[in-house]
Amino acid sequence: MKLSLKVEYALRVLAQLGRYHGSTKLAHIEDLAEAEEVPSNYLVQILNELRNGGVINSRRGKQGGYALAKEPEGISLFDVMMVIDPGLFSNSPSRAGQSGPLVAESLNKIGAAFEARAKEISIRDLMPRDAGPMYYI
Amino acid sequence: MKLSLKVEYALRVLAQLGRYHGSTKLAHIEDLAEAEEVPSNYLVQILNELRNGGVINSRRGKQGGYALAKEPEGISLFDVMMVIDPGLFSNSPSRAGQSGPLVAESLNKIGAAFEARAKEISIRDLMPRDAGPMYYI
DNA sequence: GCCAAAGTTAGGTAACTCACTCAACTTTGG
DNA sequence: CCAAAGTTGAGTGAGTTACCTAACTTTGGC
């Protein structure tokens, strides 16, 4: 499936915001841009869309910055894609032509598999995994 | 997932070629274009790529035309997409940035689900279903 | 052996999208 | 009040998409 760079950028930055989660510090655009190697001029747009989509919160002025709006496990990759690249899921295939309906049906099945998987993965899954409980003999 | 019109056109036309399958008649571009509502000028290109990709066979000259190269159940939607829109499966996400690797891994999982489903559906599934065997009491 | 019917090939293009850039503006804390 | 931050809107070069056009080649039938 063809994914835009924009979606990748958004996910990387959200993963980075996930690392800030729990602390009271807010993340700054420049820091996010540097840590995740995203052009900061472009990141401005992406963060705006994520905020308008309710995925992140922001604060202006000095001491300003960004933070996740919910727990990392409460934000799925599907949620992010819907905000950043809505056309990914909304464009249903045409039913034109004699075979249009059956083709559309099959393509929708493939799209459903894509969508289902995207809903199963959360921002938490993009964050470095804490070492699990260790058992010593 | 974002699919090109080109892929839809290709699938509709292949479904139509599926209807010809079994008979000795070859399908003509103009007939395919009309039945599936695909611009014939564009269809020329698509049929060429399908032929170069080994999905269909063609014959030139009078009595010329197109036919599926294999049984309809032997051609998956994945096969068709690989020929018509190879970038759909080949472009792997970047691993740049601190979260690049984990993001790439997750996106690859979603891509794998997409790919797996596309391999499960064949041109046969795009053809009108024959009435099954009927049992009379 | 022509010629008409078919597929083959190459090239062009208008409109659109993507991945940015730039500049002006607003808010906030010290 | 001013500097540090986010906000907003507009612009743009390169590339892609979905076509169109025209010249070419092959084949079968008369």
Side-chain angles (χ1 to χ4, degrees):
Chain A
M1 31 91 222
K2 214 175 320 184
L3 281 184
S4 59
L5 258 184
K6 200 176 181 181
V7 166
E8 286 187 39
Y9 287 162
L11 292 176
R12 296 221 298 266
V13 165
L14 288 171
Q16 187 69 25
L17 284 175
R19 301 184 181 207
Y20 282 73
H21 192 253
S23 88
T24 58
K25 285 189 303 184
L26 295 181
H28 299 157
I29 290 186
E30 287 305 329
D31 297 339
L32 293 171
E34 191 177 353
E36 298 297 345
E37 296 181 27
V38 176
S40 62
N41 282 333
Y42 195 24
L43 183 53
V44 165
Q45 278 182 36
I46 295 172
L47 288 170
N48 240 277
E49 293 178 29
L50 289 173
R51 185 175 48 81
N52 292 333
V55 178
I56 60 177
N57 292 324
S58 65
R59 197 161 60 172
R60 288 178 150 203
K62 259 181 164 169
Q63 268 28 353
Y66 297 92
L68 294 181
K70 311 183 228 175
E71 302 292 311
E73 34 288 305
I75 306 172
S76 72
L77 300 209
F78 173 80
D79 296 334
V80 178
M81 291 174 182
M82 278 296 283
V83 167
I84 293 298
D85 200 347
L88 258 185
F89 300 99
S90 67
N91 63 350
S92 50
S94 153
R95 304 190 145 260
Q98 276 183 32
S99 306
L102 279 175
V103 168
E105 188 192 331
S106 290
L107 291 181
N108 283 335
K109 282 181 188 168
I110 300 179
F114 175 78
E115 185 171 325
R117 201 73 182 87
K119 283 179 177 167
E120 289 170 2
I121 305 177
S122 77
I123 298 301
R124 183 67 189 83
D125 298 313
L126 307 181
M127 294 160 55
R129 196 153 299 285
D130 297 328
M134 309 260 291
Y135 301 100
Y136 300 95
I137 309 182
Chain B
M1 31 93 224
K2 214 174 319 182
L3 282 184
S4 60
L5 257 184
K6 200 177 184 182
V7 165
E8 286 188 40
Y9 288 161
L11 292 175
R12 296 222 298 267
V13 165
L14 288 171
Q16 187 68 24
L17 284 176
R19 299 184 182 207
Y20 282 74
H21 193 252
S23 89
T24 59
K25 285 189 303 183
L26 294 180
H28 300 159
I29 289 186
E30 287 305 327
D31 297 340
L32 293 170
E34 191 175 353
E36 297 297 346
E37 297 181 28
V38 176
S40 63
N41 282 332
Y42 195 23
L43 184 52
V44 165
Q45 279 183 35
I46 295 172
L47 288 170
N48 240 277
E49 294 179 28
L50 289 173
R51 185 175 47 80
N52 291 333
V55 178
I56 61 177
N57 292 324
S58 66
R59 196 160 62 172
R60 288 179 151 202
K62 258 181 164 169
Q63 269 28 353
Y66 297 92
L68 293 182
K70 312 182 227 174
E71 302 292 311
E73 33 290 300
I75 306 172
S76 72
L77 301 209
F78 174 79
D79 297 333
V80 178
M81 291 175 183
M82 278 296 283
V83 167
I84 293 298
D85 199 348
L88 258 184
F89 299 101
S90 66
N91 64 351
S92 51
S94 153
R95 303 190 148 260
Q98 276 183 30
S99 306
L102 279 174
V103 167
E105 186 193 332
S106 290
L107 292 180
N108 283 335
K109 282 181 188 168
I110 300 179
F114 175 76
E115 186 173 323
R117 200 76 182 85
K119 283 180 177 167
E120 288 170 3
I121 305 177
S122 78
I123 298 300
R124 183 68 189 83
D125 298 313
L126 306 180
M127 295 160 54
R129 198 151 298 285
D130 297 325
M134 309 262 292
Y135 301 101
Y136 299 94
I137 308 183

